[in-house]
Amino acid sequence: MFWCIMMTATLHRQEFEMRINSIQESEAVGQLSELYSSIAGARGGVSDVLKLHSLLPETLKDHFELYKTLMFGLRETKISRKQLELIAVTVSACNKCTYCIAHHSVPLKQILKNDELLKAIQVIDLTVLKSELDPLDYDFVLFAEKLTLKPYEVCDDDIGKLRGSGCSDEQILHVTLVINYFNFVNRNVLALGVELEPDHETKCR
């Protein structure tokens, strides 16, 4: 289902505008222009999920730095890129954020090399995921789903289960921060009407 929605979003992108004003690269000056240039160099372009911050450039800077830290910088926790992207797509699927599902399915597809498994992640098909994912990765899916949909029900047992699967407290913190980060991003996208860019795959480094 989500795969079809993503394709529809791509085809009809030009029919939509963000719900607030945003500043494009050609219009940016000063700090914003510098930020756009830096992001474009690192990412292959500036995604609309970042442009939505353009009226408040300091928030764009802080958002991008947090993204880089959570997804690339914390190598010492040994949470893999596969696991991070798995969490990103799981959280986005819970929130029905087709924009973020599409963006983070690009690297996850390259890592998994398994289209059926990717589709199962995109719709959180727990039957398939339990049989196809490593036990720890499956535990991350369950934790991401619960923290996203029912944060008030997260309890000591949930953290204990991750510890029992071999996670250190540093890893649990990292995973929790990533789950909460994608909830933040999903809600920005959904609230402000960010639509999928036709060339989004070039910006998914």
Side-chain angles (χ1 to χ4, degrees):
M1 180 177 67
F2 279 118
W3 196 258
C4 295
I5 292 172
M6 286 191 290
M7 294 306 296
T8 301
T10 302
L11 291 172
H12 296 290
R13 201 274 177 186
Q14 296 304 322
E15 297 177 11
F16 298 90
E17 295 292 338
M18 203 180 298
R19 293 179 181 133
I20 62 171
N21 292 327
S22 62
I23 302 169
Q24 301 303 311
E25 291 98 322
S26 61
E27 303 166 333
V29 296
Q31 180 191 24
L32 182 61
S33 178
E34 293 175 4
L35 285 169
Y36 276 174
S37 294
S38 175
I39 292 168
R43 301 286 295 164
V46 183
S47 300
D48 285 359
V49 69
L50 294 174
K51 289 180 186 176
L52 69 82
H53 290 274
S54 60
L55 299 179
L56 299 172
E58 283 296 329
T59 69
L60 169 58
K61 177 182 176 183
D62 291 342
H63 179 164
F64 190 56
E65 289 301 319
L66 179 60
Y67 170 78
K68 289 192 297 181
T69 297
L70 291 176
M71 298 300 285
F72 300 99
L74 298 177
R75 300 292 178 83
E76 66 271 19
T77 69
K78 294 183 170 57
I79 300 295
S80 69
R81 179 78 185 275
K82 170 191 169 184
Q83 291 168 327
L84 294 170
E85 298 296 351
L86 170 65
I87 291 168
V89 176
T90 297
V91 172
S92 301
C94 287
N95 289 321
K96 299 183 181 180
C97 181
T98 56
Y99 179 96
C100 292
I101 294 171
H103 269 264
H104 290 277
S105 288
V106 173
L108 189 55
K109 177 183 175 72
Q110 294 171 349
I111 294 167
L112 293 176
K113 296 179 172 58
N114 184 331
D115 288 348
E116 292 304 313
L117 177 55
L118 177 62
K119 290 178 183 178
I121 296 166
Q122 290 170 337
V123 299
I124 316 181
D125 184 335
L126 294 180
T127 301
V128 173
L129 298 183
K130 187 172 184 179
S131 65
E132 294 294 328
L133 291 176
D134 294 338
L136 179 57
D137 292 352
Y138 182 69
D139 286 345
F140 285 160
V141 168
L142 295 181
F143 184 57
E145 182 183 42
K146 186 172 185 178
L147 182 53
T148 297
L149 297 178
K150 296 181 179 180
Y152 46 85
E153 291 188 1
V154 174
C155 61
D156 292 349
D157 287 346
D158 297 304
I159 303 304
K161 184 175 183 180
L162 293 176
R163 281 203 185 103
S165 295
C167 283
S168 67
D169 282 10
E170 289 81 4
Q171 290 174 320
I172 293 169
L173 174 59
H174 189 183
V175 166
T176 300
L177 291 174
V178 171
I179 293 167
N180 292 331
Y181 166 79
F182 279 102
N183 274 294
F184 162 75
V185 175
N186 290 171
R187 282 155 175 74
N188 287 341
V189 167
L190 294 168
L192 299 180
V194 179
E195 293 292 333
L196 190 63
E197 310 92 348
D199 61 345
H200 73 278
E201 291 190 8
T202 66
K203 303 171 184 177
C204 296
R205 295 178 185 171

